[in-house]
Amino acid sequence: MNQEEQVQLLGLWGSPFSKRVEMVLKLKGISYEYIEEDVYVKKSHLLLNYNPIHKKVPVLVHQGRSIAESLVIVEYIEDTWKTNYPMLPHDPYERSMARFWAKYVDDKVMLTLWKACWGPESVREKMVEEACEGLKYLEEELGDKQFFGGETIGFVDIAADFIAYWFGIAQEASGVMIMTAEAFPRLQRWSRNFVGNNIIKEVLPPKEKLMALFKAQFGNNAA
Amino acid sequence: MAKKEDSVKLLGFWASPFSRRVEMALKLKGVPYEYLEEELPKKTPLLLELNPVHKKVPVLVHNDKILSESHVILEYIDQTWSNNPILPQDPYEKAMARFWAKFVDEQILPAGFMSLVKAEKGIEVAIEETRELIMFLEKEVTGKDFFGGKTLGFLDIVAGSMISFCLARAWECMGIDMISEEKFPGLNRWIEKLNEVEIVRECIPPKEKHIERMNKIIERTMSS
């Protein structure tokens, strides 16, 4: 691959945002150089140069130009490598709905799930309630489909990677059970399908490592 | 593709930058639409039916398709009516437009809000923090008429509705010279250029009414 084509990804091993981009690159069969940025320890000159605005990962570098914000990166990949494994539907309305739900996961659901597990006791109940409401909308949107994208993994599935994998581990580490099989059978089934996908499972960070990280950073709040 | 018999309705609110930006896009593309005003904070049964998830404006109804979230709506409009494109064709330029639009709503808006409501002690810091964020946009627009180049684009619509015709008015109410000519010549020129575009002028909340409303909100927020 020549210099012009080279794709680099600055990422963090445990970050669901970083992994979203890796998942898409791998699903589309795009070669890339991965550079681990331990942002909590030290931000490298490379990162500060490529993402001076947010100083966060993931950052994609392609043809010497950098792009930040995971879902913006995913759309860039989609627009640039048009042939393999489309992540978004062709129809403008379906495409918009995919963007809507991905935004919903990003803006509303992820934070409430996290706070439900690790937030202070005083707001725990409210956070759990909000988390359940968010998950209910997703449960309904998923319906009987295998993935949010239909028969194959799509934009919303990628955006919801945290829910499929990280959240289960966070619940186990914190002792707060929210996304149970009884309450959310479809999301449970979807999580298994997503995590079981041959390409996705190669990308996911090791469970034990995440568990240890969560417990160390947030403590063990077993009920 | 859109057809002549298309029905387009927009549920909006006169003072909402999110709602106004959708109007700008529709007008830019010459799409006829029926406007339905929501008298916020009261929410009509129609709004709750069309947007049960967020219960917010704007909501676009195109024939039987319902869309909410302004960025999502803007992209839908751009893809459905292909004249006067809002987003660039080039994938990198498109990504940059999306990145900066996100930045405006997710970074500048909350910081801008903080710069209005911080107590005496924190206000200077909040103002300076907001200026630092706005400086990123100054760099993006310098040397250009609009963020979109020679014509209005996605970022102009998002930043125009949010900054020039919403936050800027609030700063004016508070006597804060946030986007000074001296520090932000590019942005000041951009604001002038925006004001020259008829479509933009048609889609701005009327100034006096807007400032009156801003004053009430700021008062309420400060006293709570």
Side-chain angles (χ1 to χ4, degrees):
Chain A
M1 197 192 314
N2 62 31
Q3 187 65 16
E4 286 294 276
E5 283 304 303
Q6 195 175 35
V7 178
Q8 289 173 311
L9 174 66
L10 278 73
L12 178 63
W13 71 269
S15 157
F17 303 101
S18 180
K19 290 298 183 181
R20 284 170 177 172
V21 178
E22 278 196 88
M23 287 170 189
V24 173
L25 288 168
K26 288 234 172 345
L27 284 166
K28 287 181 180 275
I30 299 165
S31 316
Y32 62 99
E33 181 197 350
Y34 179 77
I35 301 167
E36 179 74 17
E37 282 283 335
D38 199 344
V39 292
Y40 297 108
V41 172
K42 190 180 148 120
K43 295 181 191 201
S44 72
H45 287 303
L46 200 67
L47 177 62
L48 297 176
N49 181 45
Y50 283 132
N51 189 5
I53 298 113
H54 298 301
K55 306 178 180 60
K56 285 181 179 174
V57 288
V59 180
L60 191 84
V61 185
H62 179 228
Q63 298 181 334
R65 297 183 297 193
S66 59
I67 301 139
E69 293 295 289
S70 63
L71 296 181
V72 173
I73 298 172
V74 171
E75 289 229 43
Y76 172 77
I77 295 170
E78 180 79 352
D79 289 335
T80 308
W81 286 273
K82 288 188 194 290
T83 46
N84 300 1
Y85 208 106
M87 299 303 304
L88 281 160
H90 201 64
D91 171 71
Y93 179 67
E94 297 302 326
R95 219 171 162 91
S96 298
M97 288 318 293
R99 286 186 179 123
F100 174 87
W101 287 110
K103 199 173 182 342
Y104 184 69
V105 168
D106 234 14
D107 294 352
K108 297 268 184 251
V109 181
M110 277 181 77
L111 192 59
T112 55
L113 294 185
W114 192 251
K115 283 185 182 166
C117 288
W118 307 114
E121 280 292 339
S122 52
V123 296
R124 182 75 56 82
E125 207 182 302
K126 182 169 185 282
M127 286 294 116
V128 169
E129 209 178 287
E130 277 183 31
C132 286
E133 195 188 310
L135 290 174
K136 272 199 201 96
Y137 278 120
L138 292 175
E139 175 88 359
E140 205 180 294
E141 176 56 25
L142 178 63
D144 294 325
K145 299 193 296 262
Q146 201 189 358
F147 297 107
F148 286 97
E151 281 162 36
T152 52
I153 290 171
F155 194 65
V156 181
D157 302 280
I158 294 293
D161 67 343
F162 175 84
I163 302 173
Y165 186 68
W166 280 257
F167 187 46
I169 301 171
Q171 287 175 101
E172 217 180 297
S174 66
V176 181
M177 294 313 292
I178 300 166
M179 201 170 98
T180 59
E182 296 78 43
F184 301 100
R186 289 162 166 169
L187 283 174
Q188 280 286 352
R189 176 199 19 99
W190 163 78
S191 299
R192 283 195 302 274
N193 287 339
F194 185 79
V195 165
N197 173 280
N198 284 329
I199 292 177
I200 300 292
K201 69 175 159 213
E202 292 302 312
V203 171
L204 294 172
K207 182 179 170 179
E208 315 72 48
K209 213 173 161 190
L210 275 182
M211 183 77 87
L213 178 73
F214 290 161
K215 284 191 172 163
Q217 281 197 313
F218 305 104
N220 188 347
N221 294 342
Chain B
M1 268 317 285
K3 303 177 296 264
K4 279 227 163 84
E5 320 80 66
D6 275 340
S7 146
V8 179
K9 290 191 185 42
L10 173 65
L11 266 79
F13 178 56
W14 68 272
S16 157
F18 306 102
S19 170
R20 288 297 185 169
R21 57 177 66 147
V22 174
E23 286 190 81
M24 284 181 197
L26 289 169
K27 283 209 195 296
L28 192 67
K29 289 176 179 272
V31 177
Y33 63 97
E34 183 191 345
Y35 179 76
L36 301 164
E37 179 76 23
E38 280 289 316
E39 289 175 20
L40 299 183
K42 278 186 303 189
K43 295 180 188 196
T44 62
L46 182 65
L47 175 61
L48 298 176
E49 181 199 326
L50 295 177
N51 189 3
V53 175
H54 297 295
K55 307 176 179 58
K56 286 181 178 176
V57 292
V59 179
L60 189 83
V61 186
H62 177 215
N63 297 328
D64 55 348
K65 298 170 193 154
I66 305 163
L67 292 131
S68 62
E69 293 298 284
S70 66
H71 292 208
V72 173
I73 296 173
L74 290 177
E75 295 227 29
Y76 175 79
I77 291 171
D78 206 33
Q79 284 177 292
T80 307
W81 291 275
S82 54
N83 60 319
N84 293 344
I86 297 172
L87 277 161
Q89 284 297 326
D90 172 69
Y92 177 73
E93 298 303 328
K94 203 185 272 198
M96 287 300 103
R98 286 176 176 144
F99 174 86
W100 289 115
K102 225 169 139 39
F103 181 76
V104 166
D105 279 0
E106 291 174 16
Q107 307 292 326
I108 295 186
L109 170 59
F113 185 74
M114 275 300 145
S115 73
L116 297 163
V117 302
K118 278 266 185 189
E120 290 282 339
K121 257 200 296 187
I123 205 156
E124 279 308 320
V125 172
I127 292 172
E128 212 31 61
E129 277 174 9
T130 308
R131 282 203 186 106
E132 273 169 32
L133 296 175
I134 297 175
M135 193 50 84
F136 284 116
L137 287 186
E138 173 72 16
K139 293 196 179 114
E140 284 304 303
V141 84
T142 299
K144 298 197 286 202
D145 280 355
F146 298 106
F147 288 102
K150 287 266 168 228
T151 51
L152 279 186
F154 189 70
L155 183 54
D156 297 284
I157 291 173
V158 170
S161 55
M162 179 55 72
I163 302 175
S164 341
F165 307 114
C166 182
L167 289 171
R169 287 172 176 188
W171 289 320
E172 200 182 305
C173 283
M174 297 290 283
I176 300 170
D177 185 20
M178 185 65 78
I179 311 179
S180 67
E181 175 71 52
E182 186 197 8
K183 287 205 171 102
F184 303 97
L187 281 171
N188 274 283
R189 186 165 166 271
W190 168 71
I191 293 170
E192 259 172 53
K193 286 270 167 205
L194 278 178
N195 272 303
E196 285 168 15
V197 180
E198 197 181 322
I199 294 166
V200 170
R201 284 203 308 271
E202 284 173 15
C203 298
I204 315 172
K207 196 164 182 187
E208 258 127 60
K209 195 177 168 194
H210 203 190
I211 292 196
E212 197 189 312
R213 179 186 151 80
M214 293 277 186
N215 275 323
K216 285 199 188 120
I217 296 174
I218 293 169
E219 235 172 76
R220 225 174 26 229
T221 318
M222 301 272 245
S223 62
S224 64

